[in-house]
Amino acid sequence: MRPADQLRDIEIQTGYLDSNPASVLYRCGRTIVLCTASIEARVPPWLEGKGKGWVTAEYNMLPGSTSPRKRRDRDGKVDGRTTEIQRLIGRSLRSVVDMKALGENMITVDCDVLQADGGTRTASITGGFIALAKAIAIAVPGSTVGNGPITDSVAAISVGLIDGEVKLDLDYVLDVAADVDMNVVMTGKGRFVEIQGTGEEATFDDAELAELLRLSKKGIAELTVKQMATIA
Amino acid sequence: MRPADQLRDIEIQTGYLDSNPASVLYRCGRTIVLCTASIEARVPPWLEGKGKGWVTAEYNMLPGSTSPRKRRDRDGKVDGRTTEIQRLIGRSLRSVVDMKALGENMITVDCDVLQADGGTRTASITGGFIALAKAIAIAVPGSTVGNGPITDSVAAISVGLIDGEVKLDLDYVLDVAADVDMNVVMTGKGRFVEIQGTGEEATFDDAELAELLRLSKKGIAELTVKQMATIA
Amino acid sequence: MRPADQLRDIEIQTGYLDSNPASVLYRCGRTIVLCTASIEARVPPWLEGKGKGWVTAEYNMLPGSTSPRKRRDRDGKVDGRTTEIQRLIGRSLRSVVDMKALGENMITVDCDVLQADGGTRTASITGGFIALAKAIAIAVPGSTVGNGPITDSVAAISVGLIDGEVKLDLDYVLDVAADVDMNVVMTGKGRFVEIQGTGEEATFDDAELAELLRLSKKGIAELTVKQMATIA
Amino acid sequence: MRPADQLRDIEIQTGYLDSNPASVLYRCGRTIVLCTASIEARVPPWLEGKGKGWVTAEYNMLPGSTSPRKRRDRDGKVDGRTTEIQRLIGRSLRSVVDMKALGENMITVDCDVLQADGGTRTASITGGFIALAKAIAIAVPGSTVGNGPITDSVAAISVGLIDGEVKLDLDYVLDVAADVDMNVVMTGKGRFVEIQGTGEEATFDDAELAELLRLSKKGIAELTVKQMATIA
Amino acid sequence: MRPADQLRDIEIQTGYLDSNPASVLYRCGRTIVLCTASIEARVPPWLEGKGKGWVTAEYNMLPGSTSPRKRRDRDGKVDGRTTEIQRLIGRSLRSVVDMKALGENMITVDCDVLQADGGTRTASITGGFIALAKAIAIAVPGSTVGNGPITDSVAAISVGLIDGEVKLDLDYVLDVAADVDMNVVMTGKGRFVEIQGTGEEATFDDAELAELLRLSKKGIAELTVKQMATIA
Amino acid sequence: MRPADQLRDIEIQTGYLDSNPASVLYRCGRTIVLCTASIEARVPPWLEGKGKGWVTAEYNMLPGSTSPRKRRDRDGKVDGRTTEIQRLIGRSLRSVVDMKALGENMITVDCDVLQADGGTRTASITGGFIALAKAIAIAVPGSTVGNGPITDSVAAISVGLIDGEVKLDLDYVLDVAADVDMNVVMTGKGRFVEIQGTGEEATFDDAELAELLRLSKKGIAELTVKQMATIA
């Protein structure tokens, strides 16, 4: 059994698709997310003429990613969970992009979940950042993390409180068992971007919060090392 | 100018509508939310026959609540922000309800914003809890907070980081100025239900997080006193 | 019991919202409608460049306005009754506005029903006119009713035929009992704008029609006096 | 030029379709409406088990019915005008049906406009009644107008006020020119079912109303004779 | 009983509507389709400025066209069958139009089925071509088939395999009985435009394919003669 | 350059996902389709109680599958091309399933295109059949092709006419260049299931049709060999 403070195995395959060089197949245990970043020489209408770019994200789970099969969102109503997740991914990625340095370009990061075993939103952020960095490196020659539009790296991890114990990187079984579920997004430099802690039918106190945050930081530091190794 | 650690003026009017005794007009500064709780003797299909109830919430801003006028959501696509907010309200209210004690009943808490000046989601939780408690008190004779389906009270407040200073209870002007925006939901007994801290185009460190949480607790303790006075 | 030819008590509160000075909380017995008029310096595409303005209306019932709770129109299909009502309100208000004098401006009058006890459409017209007049008075300095874009006032009332007797201003209980239901819209100068008389599963003859119209005129004359007192 | 009190030429072809014996091709001048009545041995959910039937109507204009071409309603939003018209047709037809005598059956009257030259809603009512009567005659052997589920006949006509003159049965050119437009629905026995008088950007007084009603009655009496001749 | 290689009776009435001179009422046995072609001096956005025109088609079945009544497509989701059919009609008609000779004009061919007894899609192509040719003849003086934008004629027919026998021009009863159903679209000059052969729950071999194609050609040659006689 | 009668390289990876054992990653040149088959112990409402099963298919292209990025179908309107393709896949798969032997079970075959380089619909049928066979082999022990619910295998290929030459298995570049595009679906026993030949802005004659069919048969025979090797 995996220790409470240990990440699942991570495997990152870049350039997975010929059709999109900024494509990343990101595996975290049994969770598999295909992240692709597409750049267009335009911005949303409300940003036109301001000399700034934009980064947005879309998240989707394929029908075969879960058992039983997940129904497609085809009735024109993207469900609330999907909406929340893709807004979170977009905000997280934008927190490390200098929009003026990006110029009037728009990048869409698509995160399609091929297999879901917990942690799909944090995998989407961690893998999506790599796709984003690749897309920018191609579009803005000479740009690297910290030099050009990308001011820092960003990664995310989940932590949870299960029967009074705090655990890092919840897979599906742990996620279902958790009384409190928290997603933490941090930059490579160790600053918080987002903290979303939720106790559905449960609550938590100060000491538990402190331990949840401590484990998150440990996990994100390890993910950052892997991201940097991949991008370099 | 309001001190950084002071709430806006709160005014709570219960029984506002004859058509719904569990109706509350909740004012927090210039923000006005009409909360109504409606009970039905049924549960959603996935809960049928389990001997448990359900609580859900809907959130909406009226066109006249903002200037310029806010367009209605009439094209069948509830926007992402609305979806996130009403899911947050629902989770927060469910955290203090014992669903078995509620029985196979479903309560919908509607939060309609008549005037929006920042903090509409936290006002909806704080006011919505009062409507919920009223509806349950009517449906389950003898039930009070801590006795019957309602296990605790719940309230919420926003805090923010503005030019390096932490401030409590952001109105619209402060919200726009904030680099980091955090919504905290806590029970009357002082336990966390939700923490949602977001730095859009900004980040925050440990010390700032600690101060944001300290002010939140102070504000929520004051709101809890007002809620209890109203319900009693 | 209210005499057959007597209106319900009317209470009109203007400037109800800080966010919109042209806001009116209109009460007619237990029916409560929040009317707000918002002006924009544009016209619909089909009116562009013609030197004329436009007035339109939107009508909505809040979930807590009825018991049992009314479901929100969120599936993209505004129901037929709502569509008919907001078209009627729009036509009625346009009948007393000189569109050339209004210039290329568009006014949207929102009528949100907080509590419904019959007569919501006629209350929306009568209260909506006051909001409209306020909005124009702010936008076009010096304009009053009869001087500037507003050529006359407009108000509306319902009448009905119940067990052979004609009654003025139907509340919900009377409305359900009515064999014939008629809504009449008239200007302050006493001219007809709309007559909509419907006998669902019933019919009416010439004498009954004459009496329905006589009572309508009496009611509208009284409403006009109240409107003028409010606007002045 | 047609005199002000004269109807357009009417041509009624019953049994137009082999697929539906209760089909009527109704021509009124250049306006052509295909009316079909379909009966099902079920009622809407809210009527189940009450021993009563229901009659409803749907109205639609074909793309080729106007010049320029009319766009189809295919985006899931039936426009407001269509909704109002089909509700009017349904109410009008229901006013002459004894729902208990109909039993738990539901009749849908479809009114598809092949060519539109004004008066499509009144043609739909007048022609739709014939289709309805045919469908009932087939389903309820021995039933005729006044004997069985159909208690009376119903027909409709438009009248208008043009440059101070009242005219009967407005075609498109007259309709556009009219300051006041009124649709009147009456039974064969001469009782009113609906009066819908509208002055968009115009108003009307008592004398004008009296004359509009007088001409309507004359026209409807003539239509009733034609309906009866067709049904017999 | 009709011989296996014989078409149903065809009746073609042009100029059926005053509102659209390019209107054709096409009957094939009991199947009746109203085809209208409408021309607009614009092209779809993706064709703008290329000096070419476009032809598109819409297909619809009226509620009364079948027994039992066919429900209208009013929920915003045109069903898959309708979509396939109107795409087929559009492609077929475009195959005989020289888009450069048409200039920057767009023609919409509407095919509304008044009565359906099998073969509605092929009737729509055959009748729709006549409407298209009429519309072009009016818009481009001097143009005839083979001279101007219309390079050839086009017609379509269905064939099927029933209990081992190949039959031409399937009506509804034959269509239901068919193991294999094939629609063939050909030009007047005898070239294939589309072949769509489908064996739902059945398959077919080379010899059967050859016989299906042979009968199709015979039928289309006869339809072409009728089209030419109508257009001339 | 690939000879005109040669297939692209095929690579078939079964059991690609842990979440679904009936998952197949099918590559045909640069086209990559993820096929998964999910079985449920229910049938569509119109098949209930008939002792028969059902097979249906859904097709989707991921945003990163094309360059430029393909927009998601999220507005509730699945586009016409997608609808046609998934109907074709479903019909093709059903042609080789004995629905009575399947019992009251429903299988959904999802075909998600990860990378699109022409031939995605034929790859979906060929790969989808393998996923379907795997799902049935798991659900119905002892079943193999020809023994149990699966009566035969099915595969599909595209052929085209380019500058007068017939070519097998069109990639994107060839597909764009083709004057005539034909998709052929055949069983392992060599019988036709579907023939869909389309000449958009082009036509074809008998000799060309014969050659298109000859090459199709050759390609499908080779695909069948690969399918059988994978399933065994």
Side-chain angles (χ1 to χ4, degrees):
Chain A
M1 194 181 148
R2 180 160 56 98
D5 67 345
Q6 190 176 310
L7 293 174
R8 287 179 278 177
D9 290 338
I10 308 290
E11 190 183 318
I12 305 171
Q13 187 175 349
T14 59
Y16 179 73
L17 300 178
D18 295 320
S19 53
N20 187 320
S23 53
V24 174
L25 192 73
Y26 185 93
R27 290 169 188 267
C28 166
R30 290 161 51 112
T31 289
I32 310 175
V33 184
L34 176 59
C35 305
T36 54
S38 307
I39 195 160
E40 293 168 277
R42 67 171 186 93
V43 286
W46 46 271
L47 263 186
E48 282 171 9
K50 301 198 174 164
K52 297 169 63 177
W54 189 244
V55 173
T56 188
E58 293 191 5
Y59 169 94
N60 186 48
M61 289 173 71
L62 268 64
S65 66
T66 60
S67 177
R69 175 180 185 270
K70 185 175 187 304
R71 283 193 49 177
R72 290 179 200 270
D73 269 335
R74 278 194 164 165
D75 59 357
K77 312 208 180 184
V78 177
D79 70 38
R81 178 185 169 275
T82 295
T83 304
E84 274 194 42
I85 291 175
Q86 63 191 17
R87 282 163 54 92
L88 169 64
I89 300 169
R91 281 198 308 269
S92 299
L93 297 177
R94 284 194 294 274
S95 73
V96 295
V97 177
D98 176 342
M99 295 301 172
K100 281 204 188 293
L102 182 57
E104 294 214 348
N105 296 295
M106 173 161 153
I107 300 177
T108 302
V109 176
D110 287 286
C111 302
D112 285 273
V113 179
L114 303 192
Q115 187 162 277
D117 186 32
T120 60
R121 81 187 70 189
T122 53
S124 294
I125 292 169
T126 308
F129 172 72
I130 300 170
L132 175 70
K134 291 276 177 192
I136 290 179
I138 293 165
V140 184
S143 64
T144 57
V145 174
N147 179 16
I150 303 198
T151 58
D152 200 347
S153 68
V154 67
I157 201 68
S158 69
V159 285
L161 186 62
I162 302 170
D163 293 335
E165 190 187 4
V166 172
K167 290 198 191 253
L168 180 66
D169 193 8
L170 309 182
D171 60 23
Y172 180 74
V173 170
L174 293 175
D175 191 56
V176 167
D179 300 306
V180 174
D181 177 33
M182 181 174 281
N183 292 292
V184 178
V185 186
M186 295 186 80
T187 70
K189 292 177 184 155
R191 293 182 64 87
F192 292 107
V193 176
E194 290 255 349
I195 299 174
Q196 293 195 340
T198 297
E200 172 101 30
E201 304 186 29
T203 55
F204 53 106
D205 63 20
D206 286 314
E208 289 160 342
L209 173 60
E211 181 63 6
L212 288 163
L213 292 173
R214 191 189 65 78
L215 271 198
S216 303
K217 287 181 196 171
K218 173 180 181 299
I220 286 173
E222 293 172 20
L223 291 172
T224 301
V225 170
K226 287 184 199 291
Q227 286 178 316
M228 288 307 179
T230 304
I231 294 170
Chain B
M1 195 182 149
R2 181 160 55 99
D5 67 348
Q6 189 176 311
L7 293 174
R8 287 179 279 179
D9 291 338
I10 308 289
E11 190 183 321
I12 305 172
Q13 187 175 349
T14 60
Y16 180 73
L17 300 178
D18 295 319
S19 52
N20 187 320
S23 54
V24 174
L25 193 71
Y26 186 93
R27 290 168 188 268
C28 166
R30 291 161 50 116
T31 289
I32 310 175
V33 184
L34 176 59
C35 304
T36 55
S38 306
I39 196 160
E40 294 168 278
R42 66 170 187 94
V43 287
W46 46 271
L47 263 187
E48 282 171 10
K50 301 200 172 160
K52 296 168 63 177
W54 189 244
V55 174
T56 188
E58 293 191 5
Y59 169 93
N60 186 48
M61 291 173 70
L62 268 65
S65 67
T66 61
S67 176
R69 176 180 183 270
K70 184 175 188 303
R71 285 191 49 177
R72 292 178 199 269
D73 268 336
R74 279 195 163 164
D75 60 356
K77 313 210 179 181
V78 177
D79 70 39
R81 178 185 168 275
T82 296
T83 304
E84 274 194 42
I85 291 175
Q86 62 191 19
R87 281 162 57 91
L88 170 65
I89 300 168
R91 281 198 309 269
S92 298
L93 297 177
R94 284 192 296 274
S95 73
V96 295
V97 177
D98 176 342
M99 294 301 172
K100 280 202 188 291
L102 181 56
E104 294 213 348
N105 295 295
M106 173 161 154
I107 301 178
T108 303
V109 177
D110 286 288
C111 302
D112 285 273
V113 178
L114 303 193
Q115 187 161 279
D117 186 32
T120 60
R121 80 186 71 190
T122 53
S124 294
I125 293 169
T126 308
F129 172 73
I130 299 170
L132 175 69
K134 291 276 176 192
I136 290 178
I138 293 165
V140 184
S143 63
T144 58
V145 174
N147 179 15
I150 304 199
T151 58
D152 199 348
S153 68
V154 66
I157 201 67
S158 68
V159 284
L161 185 63
I162 302 170
D163 293 336
E165 191 187 2
V166 172
K167 289 195 190 258
L168 179 66
D169 193 10
L170 308 183
D171 60 22
Y172 180 74
V173 169
L174 292 175
D175 191 55
V176 167
D179 299 308
V180 174
D181 177 33
M182 180 173 279
N183 292 291
V184 178
V185 185
M186 296 186 80
T187 69
K189 292 176 185 158
R191 293 182 63 88
F192 293 107
V193 176
E194 290 255 350
I195 299 175
Q196 292 195 342
T198 298
E200 172 99 31
E201 305 187 24
T203 56
F204 52 106
D205 64 20
D206 285 314
E208 289 160 342
L209 173 59
E211 181 62 7
L212 288 163
L213 292 173
R214 190 188 65 78
L215 270 198
S216 302
K217 288 181 196 172
K218 174 180 180 297
I220 286 173
E222 293 171 19
L223 291 173
T224 301
V225 170
K226 287 184 197 292
Q227 286 178 315
M228 290 305 179
T230 302
I231 293 171
Chain C
M1 195 181 149
R2 179 160 56 98
D5 67 346
Q6 190 177 309
L7 293 174
R8 287 179 278 179
D9 291 337
I10 308 289
E11 191 184 318
I12 305 172
Q13 188 176 346
T14 60
Y16 180 73
L17 300 177
D18 295 322
S19 53
N20 187 322
S23 54
V24 174
L25 193 71
Y26 185 93
R27 290 168 188 268
C28 166
R30 290 161 51 115
T31 289
I32 311 175
V33 184
L34 176 58
C35 305
T36 54
S38 306
I39 195 161
E40 293 168 277
R42 67 172 186 91
V43 286
W46 45 272
L47 262 187
E48 283 170 10
K50 300 199 174 163
K52 296 169 64 176
W54 189 244
V55 173
T56 188
E58 294 191 4
Y59 169 94
N60 186 48
M61 289 174 70
L62 268 65
S65 66
T66 60
S67 177
R69 174 180 184 270
K70 184 176 188 302
R71 284 193 51 178
R72 290 179 201 271
D73 268 335
R74 277 193 165 167
D75 60 356
K77 313 207 182 186
V78 176
D79 71 37
R81 179 185 168 274
T82 296
T83 303
E84 273 194 41
I85 291 175
Q86 62 191 17
R87 282 163 54 91
L88 170 65
I89 300 169
R91 281 198 309 269
S92 298
L93 297 177
R94 284 193 294 275
S95 73
V96 294
V97 176
D98 175 342
M99 295 301 172
K100 281 204 187 291
L102 181 57
E104 294 214 348
N105 296 295
M106 173 160 153
I107 300 177
T108 303
V109 176
D110 287 287
C111 302
D112 285 273
V113 178
L114 303 193
Q115 188 163 277
D117 185 33
T120 60
R121 81 187 69 188
T122 53
S124 295
I125 293 169
T126 308
F129 172 73
I130 300 171
L132 175 70
K134 291 276 177 192
I136 290 178
I138 293 165
V140 185
S143 64
T144 57
V145 174
N147 178 15
I150 304 197
T151 58
D152 200 346
S153 67
V154 67
I157 200 68
S158 69
V159 285
L161 186 62
I162 302 171
D163 294 334
E165 190 188 4
V166 172
K167 289 199 190 252
L168 179 65
D169 192 9
L170 308 182
D171 60 23
Y172 180 75
V173 169
L174 293 175
D175 191 55
V176 167
D179 300 307
V180 175
D181 177 33
M182 180 174 280
N183 292 291
V184 178
V185 186
M186 295 186 81
T187 69
K189 291 177 185 157
R191 294 181 63 89
F192 292 107
V193 176
E194 290 254 350
I195 299 174
Q196 294 195 339
T198 299
E200 171 102 28
E201 307 185 25
T203 54
F204 52 106
D205 65 18
D206 285 313
E208 289 160 342
L209 173 60
E211 181 63 7
L212 288 162
L213 292 172
R214 191 189 64 79
L215 271 196
S216 303
K217 289 180 195 171
K218 175 181 180 296
I220 286 173
E222 293 171 19
L223 292 172
T224 301
V225 170
K226 288 185 197 290
Q227 286 178 316
M228 288 308 179
T230 303
I231 293 170
Chain D
M1 195 182 149
R2 179 161 54 99
D5 68 347
Q6 189 176 309
L7 293 175
R8 287 179 278 178
D9 290 338
I10 308 289
E11 189 183 322
I12 305 172
Q13 187 176 349
T14 60
Y16 180 72
L17 300 177
D18 294 320
S19 53
N20 188 321
S23 54
V24 174
L25 192 72
Y26 186 93
R27 292 168 187 266
C28 166
R30 290 162 50 115
T31 289
I32 309 174
V33 184
L34 175 59
C35 304
T36 55
S38 307
I39 195 160
E40 294 168 278
R42 66 171 187 93
V43 287
W46 47 271
L47 262 187
E48 283 171 8
K50 301 199 173 163
K52 295 168 63 177
W54 189 244
V55 174
T56 187
E58 293 192 5
Y59 169 93
N60 186 49
M61 290 173 71
L62 269 65
S65 66
T66 60
S67 177
R69 176 182 183 267
K70 185 175 187 303
R71 284 192 50 177
R72 289 179 201 269
D73 268 336
R74 279 195 163 164
D75 59 356
K77 312 208 180 184
V78 176
D79 72 39
R81 178 184 169 276
T82 295
T83 304
E84 274 193 42
I85 291 175
Q86 62 190 18
R87 282 163 55 90
L88 169 65
I89 300 169
R91 282 197 309 269
S92 298
L93 297 177
R94 285 192 294 274
S95 73
V96 294
V97 177
D98 176 342
M99 295 300 172
K100 281 204 187 290
L102 181 56
E104 294 213 349
N105 295 295
M106 174 160 152
I107 300 178
T108 302
V109 177
D110 287 287
C111 302
D112 286 272
V113 178
L114 303 193
Q115 187 162 280
D117 186 32
T120 61
R121 82 187 67 189
T122 53
S124 295
I125 293 169
T126 308
F129 172 73
I130 300 170
L132 175 70
K134 291 275 177 192
I136 289 178
I138 293 165
V140 185
S143 63
T144 57
V145 174
N147 179 15
I150 303 199
T151 58
D152 199 348
S153 66
V154 65
I157 201 67
S158 68
V159 285
L161 186 62
I162 302 170
D163 293 335
E165 189 187 5
V166 172
K167 289 195 191 255
L168 179 66
D169 192 9
L170 309 183
D171 60 23
Y172 179 74
V173 169
L174 293 175
D175 191 55
V176 167
D179 301 307
V180 174
D181 177 34
M182 179 173 281
N183 292 292
V184 178
V185 185
M186 296 186 81
T187 70
K189 292 177 185 157
R191 294 182 62 88
F192 292 107
V193 176
E194 290 254 350
I195 300 174
Q196 294 195 340
T198 299
E200 173 100 29
E201 305 186 25
T203 55
F204 53 105
D205 65 19
D206 285 313
E208 289 160 341
L209 172 60
E211 181 63 7
L212 288 163
L213 293 171
R214 191 188 64 80
L215 271 197
S216 304
K217 288 180 195 172
K218 174 180 180 296
I220 286 173
E222 293 172 19
L223 291 173
T224 300
V225 171
K226 289 184 197 291
Q227 287 178 315
M228 290 305 179
T230 303
I231 295 170
Chain E
M1 195 181 147
R2 181 162 53 98
D5 67 346
Q6 190 177 311
L7 293 175
R8 288 180 278 179
D9 290 339
I10 308 289
E11 190 183 319
I12 305 172
Q13 186 174 350
T14 59
Y16 180 72
L17 300 178
D18 295 321
S19 53
N20 187 320
S23 54
V24 174
L25 193 72
Y26 185 94
R27 291 169 186 265
C28 166
R30 290 161 51 116
T31 289
I32 311 175
V33 184
L34 176 58
C35 305
T36 54
S38 307
I39 195 160
E40 294 168 277
R42 67 170 186 93
V43 286
W46 45 271
L47 262 188
E48 282 171 9
K50 301 198 174 163
K52 297 167 64 177
W54 189 243
V55 173
T56 188
E58 295 192 3
Y59 169 94
N60 186 48
M61 289 173 71
L62 267 65
S65 66
T66 61
S67 177
R69 176 181 183 268
K70 184 174 189 302
R71 285 192 49 176
R72 290 179 200 269
D73 269 335
R74 278 194 164 166
D75 59 357
K77 313 208 180 185
V78 176
D79 71 37
R81 179 184 168 276
T82 296
T83 304
E84 274 193 42
I85 291 175
Q86 63 191 17
R87 282 163 54 91
L88 169 64
I89 300 169
R91 282 198 308 270
S92 298
L93 297 177
R94 284 193 294 275
S95 73
V96 294
V97 177
D98 175 342
M99 294 301 173
K100 280 202 189 291
L102 182 56
E104 295 214 349
N105 296 295
M106 173 161 154
I107 300 177
T108 303
V109 176
D110 287 287
C111 302
D112 285 272
V113 178
L114 303 193
Q115 187 162 278
D117 186 32
T120 60
R121 81 187 70 188
T122 53
S124 294
I125 292 169
T126 308
F129 171 73
I130 300 170
L132 175 70
K134 290 275 177 192
I136 289 178
I138 292 165
V140 184
S143 63
T144 58
V145 174
N147 179 16
I150 304 197
T151 58
D152 200 346
S153 67
V154 66
I157 200 68
S158 69
V159 285
L161 185 63
I162 302 171
D163 294 335
E165 189 187 6
V166 172
K167 289 198 191 253
L168 179 66
D169 193 9
L170 309 182
D171 60 23
Y172 180 76
V173 169
L174 292 175
D175 191 55
V176 167
D179 301 306
V180 174
D181 178 33
M182 180 173 279
N183 291 292
V184 177
V185 185
M186 295 187 82
T187 69
K189 292 176 184 155
R191 294 181 63 89
F192 293 107
V193 176
E194 291 254 348
I195 299 174
Q196 294 195 339
T198 297
E200 173 99 32
E201 306 186 27
T203 54
F204 51 105
D205 64 20
D206 285 313
E208 288 160 342
L209 173 59
E211 180 64 6
L212 288 163
L213 293 173
R214 190 188 65 80
L215 270 198
S216 304
K217 287 180 197 172
K218 175 181 180 296
I220 287 173
E222 293 172 19
L223 292 172
T224 300
V225 170
K226 287 185 198 290
Q227 286 178 316
M228 289 307 179
T230 304
I231 294 171
Chain F
M1 194 180 149
R2 180 160 55 98
D5 67 347
Q6 189 177 309
L7 293 174
R8 286 180 279 179
D9 291 338
I10 308 289
E11 190 183 320
I12 305 172
Q13 187 175 348
T14 60
Y16 180 73
L17 300 177
D18 294 321
S19 53
N20 188 322
S23 53
V24 174
L25 193 72
Y26 186 93
R27 290 169 188 267
C28 166
R30 290 162 49 117
T31 289
I32 310 175
V33 184
L34 176 59
C35 304
T36 54
S38 307
I39 196 159
E40 294 168 277
R42 66 170 187 92
V43 287
W46 46 272
L47 263 187
E48 283 171 7
K50 301 199 173 163
K52 296 169 63 177
W54 189 243
V55 174
T56 187
E58 293 192 5
Y59 168 94
N60 186 47
M61 291 174 71
L62 269 64
S65 66
T66 60
S67 178
R69 175 182 184 268
K70 184 174 188 304
R71 285 192 49 175
R72 290 179 201 270
D73 268 336
R74 280 194 162 165
D75 60 357
K77 313 209 180 182
V78 177
D79 70 39
R81 178 185 168 275
T82 295
T83 304
E84 274 193 42
I85 291 176
Q86 63 191 18
R87 282 162 56 91
L88 169 65
I89 300 169
R91 281 197 310 269
S92 298
L93 297 176
R94 284 193 295 274
S95 72
V96 294
V97 177
D98 176 342
M99 295 301 172
K100 282 205 187 290
L102 181 58
E104 293 215 349
N105 295 296
M106 173 161 153
I107 300 178
T108 303
V109 176
D110 286 288
C111 302
D112 285 273
V113 178
L114 303 192
Q115 188 162 277
D117 185 33
T120 61
R121 81 186 69 189
T122 54
S124 295
I125 292 169
T126 308
F129 172 73
I130 301 170
L132 175 70
K134 290 274 177 193
I136 289 178
I138 294 165
V140 184
S143 64
T144 56
V145 174
N147 179 14
I150 304 198
T151 59
D152 199 346
S153 66
V154 67
I157 200 67
S158 68
V159 284
L161 185 63
I162 302 171
D163 293 337
E165 190 187 4
V166 172
K167 290 197 192 255
L168 179 66
D169 192 9
L170 308 183
D171 60 23
Y172 180 74
V173 169
L174 292 175
D175 191 55
V176 167
D179 299 307
V180 174
D181 176 34
M182 180 173 279
N183 292 291
V184 177
V185 185
M186 295 186 82
T187 70
K189 292 175 185 158
R191 292 181 64 88
F192 293 107
V193 177
E194 289 255 350
I195 299 174
Q196 293 196 341
T198 298
E200 172 100 31
E201 305 185 26
T203 55
F204 52 106
D205 64 20
D206 286 312
E208 288 159 343
L209 172 60
E211 180 63 6
L212 288 163
L213 293 172
R214 190 188 66 79
L215 271 198
S216 304
K217 288 180 196 172
K218 173 180 181 299
I220 286 173
E222 293 171 20
L223 292 172
T224 301
V225 171
K226 288 184 199 290
Q227 286 178 316
M228 289 307 178
T230 303
I231 293 170

